[in-house]
Amino acid sequence: MNKKWIMTAAGALIVFIIATFTVLDTKVVEIEARLDSKEIVESIHSDKGSVLIDSFKEVPASIRFVDPQRIEVSGEHKIYGQGIYEIDLRQMQVKKSDTLDVSDKSLYMEILRSDYGLILVKKDGSPGLFHQLSDGTLKRISSNFLVSTAPDVELSASGDKLIYCVRESAQMATYNLNTFKKKVISGTLPEYVLNNFHASIELSPDGGYFMVYKRGDKLSESTLNVYGADSGRKYVDEVMGTSPKWAPDGKRLGFIYSGQLGDKSALTDTRVGYILFPEREVVYFDLVDGQQALSQKLHWSEDGKKLYYMRSALESGKLTLRSFDVDSGLLSGFDLAENITNVPDDIQVSEDMIVMYWEEDKALQIYDLNGSILLPVERIDTIKFFDTQDRPYLISNGHVGYYKDNQICIFSSKARETLIGEAIQEFVFSSDSNWVLTGVPSDGGYNLNVVARKKP
């Protein structure tokens, strides 16, 4: 039998055995091997469902779960240098990935990354916006785009639509990373939008539309315009509204009607509604009388079917969370606990929980969908997350994760658990919540630890 074939088969068997023992919670084992291809098999330490990767020099530039058992890491490997690496939890391997990288790093700088390629600008500061494809092909998007510390560019959540500002003509333009089609939107942008790109321009999550929001000096002067990202067609023209919020599916844009606000600083005597696309239908479903005030933030459920917002009684200060079901037309709500007097800074709704967060107090409170308290107010520690910096807690697959007293706390409507996590700087869930990935600085490097919460 071919000797090379025997060695390959033996190596595969060793990897399989080690991976199997790891899942079955056996003692610490180590492997070290090399493949002839671009793939690299690391030395992997495993102990009772915990996998340690200690081969990166510093905190990686980005980390994400590609699927529940594959992790993509962009960073500097101690031996193999800068690049994209894949941690495969099925095979218990760390591989050098073929994921797209900037083809000419001496000339171009990456500013955005998508499954459809990279968005680049010139390093020397000369004009130009470019799209690099997976095969390394470079396509020029714009010849007069100038980069800044916060480039006037936004990528849709779907990753296939780009929007940017053409400053020479004061216009917006869109670019489809899948079809390579570009559309310059007719009409010039007001000075406010030009000077506040990221606060004024927002693509719908599916990339089908984009909104131009102009907040006036008075709330009553705030307006919304919405365009088709491919067609450039104007779907919404100067609707008087504030606090716009796209639904996750991009089919609705929630807002608070601003036309009745006059010179008021508080959101009272006004209506809550949404705009339906592509029908351009405006639906108002709640009128707030003079005894109530609205918070200036709207929140959609993950499926885009319910819109949540906070109301407060001006006299008593009682807070009420309201929700509107777009399918049934049912308006419902519940009062927050009596000791809660400040409007939450952030509200996130999962499949069976509502999580509220107060920035000043660094505190969480969790309710079920009917308003029963699942977790009383609990103070948490600020920590970074690999996949988002938007808030100091994570929601994944019906689980809430946060950091407190050197422990990672994982809460669901059915159970609560803690993982010891001293000196942790970052962590993230896998999409199925079965794995927790943490990052900790070490002597001469940065350690990644992947812990199985249950048998994967």
Side-chain angles (χ1 to χ4, degrees), residues 12-37:
L13 179 62
I14 291 172
V15 170
F16 173 77
I17 292 172
I18 291 173
T20 304
F21 283 175
T22 300
V23 171
L24 296 179
D25 297 345
T26 61
K27 298 179 180 179
V28 174
V29 292
E30 297 185 14
I31 62 173
E32 185 169 4
R34 300 273 181 94
L35 297 183
D36 293 334
S37 68

Side-chain angles (χ1 to χ4, degrees), residues 291-310:
Q291 305 302 312
Q292 298 278 330
L294 285 168
S295 67
Q296 293 192 31
K297 289 185 179 179
L298 304 178
H299 314 270
W300 287 96
S301 59
E302 292 178 333
D303 60 6
K305 298 299 185 181
K306 286 188 177 181
L307 182 61
Y308 289 82
Y309 53 98
M310 192 71 64

Side-chain angles (χ1 to χ4, degrees), residues 178-396:
N178 190 25
T179 64
F180 316 129
K181 291 182 178 179
K182 183 171 70 172
K183 180 69 178 181
V184 178
I185 310 303
S186 60
T188 58
L189 295 168
E191 193 69 22
Y192 174 86
V193 175
L194 291 172
N195 294 332
N196 298 273
F197 177 88
H198 293 283
S200 306
I201 306 296
E202 186 177 356
L203 278 161
S204 60
D206 63 350
Y209 306 91
F210 73 90
M211 168 190 65
V212 180
Y213 172 56
K214 182 182 184 300
R215 176 161 180 159
D217 294 333
K218 300 175 183 177
L219 288 175
S220 58
E221 298 172 347
S222 300
T223 58
L224 301 169
N225 290 277
V226 179
Y227 300 83
D230 286 323
S231 66
R233 176 186 177 188
K234 200 170 193 179
Y235 281 83
V236 172
D237 188 8
E238 296 296 312
V239 165
M240 301 178 75
T242 188
S243 306
K245 182 71 173 181
W246 283 109
D249 59 6
K251 294 180 179 179
R252 293 173 177 85
L253 178 65
F255 71 102
I256 298 170
Y257 179 63
S258 62
Q260 297 169 212
L261 295 174
D263 295 333
K264 299 175 182 178
S265 58
L267 295 176
T268 60
D269 290 313
T270 189
R271 293 175 286 174
V272 185
Y274 65 83
I275 306 168
L276 179 64
F277 297 95
E279 293 83 354
R280 297 191 291 176
E281 180 183 357
V282 179
V283 178
Y284 293 109
F285 53 82
D286 194 7
L287 174 63
V288 182
D289 61 32
Q291 305 302 312
Q292 298 278 330
L294 285 168
S295 67
Q296 293 192 31
K297 289 185 179 179
L298 304 178
H299 314 270
W300 287 96
S301 59
E302 292 178 333
D303 60 6
K305 298 299 185 181
K306 286 188 177 181
L307 182 61
Y308 289 82
Y309 53 98
M310 192 71 64
R311 290 172 46 147
S312 60
L314 295 179
E315 186 173 336
S316 66
K318 179 183 291 185
L319 295 173
T320 301
L321 182 69
R322 284 219 176 184
S323 67
F324 179 75
D325 189 308
V326 299
D327 286 339
S328 67
L330 179 63
L331 185 63
S332 58
F334 61 85
D335 295 335
L336 271 60
E338 292 184 359
N339 61 325
I340 305 298
T341 57
N342 295 326
V343 174
D345 296 292
D346 187 48
I347 298 174
Q348 298 292 325
V349 183
S350 70
E351 57 189 20
D352 60 356
M353 292 185 293
I354 300 172
V355 184
M356 301 184 187
Y357 175 71
W358 289 264
E359 174 65 34
E360 184 176 349
D361 297 328
K362 298 290 187 291
L364 279 178
Q365 188 175 35
I366 302 177
Y367 295 80
D368 67 15
L369 300 184
N370 296 316
S372 298
I373 297 175
L374 298 177
L375 179 71
V377 174
E378 182 163 332
R379 295 183 181 275
I380 66 176
D381 297 325
T382 300
I383 191 172
K384 296 178 181 178
F385 296 106
F386 287 121
D387 66 341
T388 178
Q389 299 294 326
D390 293 341
R391 53 186 184 272
Y393 64 94
L394 291 174
I395 293 182
S396 176

